[in-house]
Amino acid sequence: MHHFLIIVPDMSILFEATGIADILSQANRVLESAGDEPAYSYELVSCDDNHIVRGRSGLTVLAENTLEELGTDNQYDTLLVTSRGSGSAQQDRVADWLRQAAPNAKRIVSICGGAFLLAKAGLLDGRKATTHWQRLDKLQQAYPRVDVQRGPIYVQDGHIWSSAGISAGFDLILAIIEQDCGTAIARQVAQNFVMYLRRPGGQMQFSEAILPSDEDGGLIADLERWIQEDLSRDLSVEALANKAAMSPRNFSRVFTREAGMPPARFVEEQRLAAARVMLEQSALNIDVIAQKTGFGNGLNLRRVFERRLQLAPTDYRARFGSLHLA
């Protein structure tokens, strides 16, 4: 059983902590429906001397424990900090607790600004880490011994994980579930919440394509990552089957069973999602986007957009593109 101690500093965005708890709870339900034992338990912990945590929205949650009530010499499975917190006194108190408790923790996680508290505790010295894209420079300047990663939405360095802005923490938690319970369970959790197990088209903050996880998730999971690395390459069923060292027929059967959709559909989903990101967040020419995402040319891209989204790429950009591109 993996127990998550979810540390929620005052004036946090509460949806981080409650969303993570819901995802872990859903993982337990998926495991139980498959006849397995639940894998997760969790508790919310406040950082002040009372159990009430105030959120930025004005809402509050009631934590099961406070840091003062928990000993730093206990054995912890996963310590998770959801934000930077409010005020230097609270930040110092949390960082000091983390510094003392960290040697007894199997896994340590920060969400968004929580990386600042891990860094303040010295836990990120010499390690790769990330935070919200707006705070990357500040993290690097304040803690020069941290190897700040400016692209990925989450980073794992040994037993320490960190994520970018708020919702990126959900991607991180899904990756942890995949590591703990396997790809099939993590995928089912993601599907139940209408989330991507790995964001198609990329996991780079605010813009570009993502670097897939290096965790070993089996042949099909590894192949999915290989697909995402370069959407412009030949991704026909025959090419993918050759990569997997299978016959096309057997490969299609195995891939569909593991991925929940045929390989051609999976590839199209990845390419479509990547093209949408580029249309939303770049000024690249339509033909260039089509080439980068494997559609070949603008005509093919347009056909897929109109079939799947009932919009031409130019109309999609006009409707959903970033304001600074207008």
Side-chain angles (χ1 to χ4, degrees):
M1 177 75 73
H2 298 281
H3 185 71
F4 275 65
L5 206 66
I6 304 176
I7 301 169
V8 192
D10 214 29
M11 300 308 292
S12 297
I13 296 177
L14 299 179
F15 137 87
E16 296 170 332
T18 57
I20 287 168
D22 280 333
I23 292 172
L24 295 175
S25 177
Q26 183 65 31
N28 283 341
R29 287 193 288 272
V30 170
L31 286 164
E32 289 175 323
S33 68
D36 297 319
E37 293 295 319
Y40 298 103
S41 60
Y42 48 85
E43 61 182 305
L44 299 187
V45 180
S46 70
C47 301
D48 290 322
D49 56 2
N50 62 70
H51 291 248
I52 297 175
V53 180
R54 296 173 299 161
R56 294 185 197 175
S57 62
L59 298 177
T60 60
V61 296
L62 187 64
E64 288 92 334
N65 279 299
T66 72
L67 284 182
E68 291 184 357
E69 296 170 341
L70 296 172
T72 56
D73 56 352
N74 295 334
Q75 296 297 314
Y76 294 108
D77 183 90
T78 302
L79 300 177
L80 186 150
V81 186
T82 61
S83 76
R84 188 177 182 180
S86 63
S88 59
Q90 184 183 82
Q91 292 168 9
D92 289 343
R93 184 163 57 252
V94 177
D96 183 60
W97 190 93
L98 288 168
R99 187 182 303 109
Q100 296 179 61
N104 300 317
K106 295 180 181 179
R107 183 163 52 200
I108 299 172
V109 179
S110 69
I111 307 298
C112 197
F116 283 84
L117 297 181
L118 298 192
K120 193 177 187 67
L123 304 181
L124 299 183
D125 289 354
R127 291 186 180 274
K128 296 178 180 180
T130 193
T131 188
H132 191 282
W133 63 273
Q134 291 178 317
R135 298 174 179 169
L136 291 169
D137 288 337
K138 192 168 186 177
L139 180 64
Q140 189 67 85
Q141 292 165 6
Y143 302 100
R145 297 184 64 183
V146 179
D147 184 1
V148 176
Q149 301 294 293
R150 297 179 174 274
I153 60 173
Y154 63 81
V155 172
Q156 179 188 7
D157 189 332
H159 71 298
I160 296 183
W161 298 64
S162 56
S163 85
I166 305 160
S167 66
F170 299 161
D171 296 80
L172 180 153
I173 293 301
L174 285 173
I176 286 177
I177 292 172
E178 183 177 17
Q179 186 179 88
D180 292 343
C181 305
T183 301
I185 298 298
R187 187 188 306 283
Q188 184 62 55
V189 173
Q191 290 174 344
N192 289 347
F193 278 110
V194 197
M195 296 168 61
Y196 287 114
L197 177 57
R198 283 177 287 278
R199 297 193 195 194
Q203 291 182 10
M204 299 295 279
Q205 289 199 52
F206 202 58
S207 57
E208 305 177 11
I210 107 189
L211 300 174
S213 167
D214 291 330
E215 295 300 325
D216 181 13
L219 176 62
I220 297 303
D222 289 343
L223 187 61
E224 289 176 5
R225 297 184 182 102
W226 182 79
I227 289 170
Q228 292 176 326
E229 287 174 1
D230 184 0
L231 293 170
S232 66
R233 68 178 69 170
D234 179 6
L235 298 177
S236 64
V237 172
E238 291 74 17
L240 295 175
N242 183 63
K243 175 70 176 176
M246 296 180 181
S247 69
R249 182 177 180 180
N250 187 46
F251 167 74
S252 293
R253 180 180 58 81
V254 173
F255 188 98
T256 301
R257 183 186 68 222
E258 296 295 324
M261 65 182 73
R265 174 63 181 272
F266 181 86
V267 170
E268 184 176 89
E269 292 279 0
Q270 305 302 304
R271 285 173 165 164
L272 178 62
R276 290 173 65 175
V277 170
M278 292 182 188
L279 287 167
E280 292 169 9
Q281 301 180 7
S282 82
L284 291 174
N285 178 276
I286 299 297
D287 283 323
V288 172
I289 291 175
Q291 292 168 10
K292 285 179 172 290
T293 55
F295 286 108
N297 57 61
L299 179 59
N300 289 337
L301 180 64
R302 181 185 179 93
R303 286 172 175 165
V304 173
F305 262 70
E306 291 181 340
R307 172 168 54 84
R308 297 292 304 279
L309 304 177
Q310 291 76 53
L311 279 176
T314 51
D315 294 332
Y316 183 91
R317 170 173 275 167
R319 184 174 301 184
F320 300 109
S322 299
L323 293 177
H324 71 276
L325 298 176

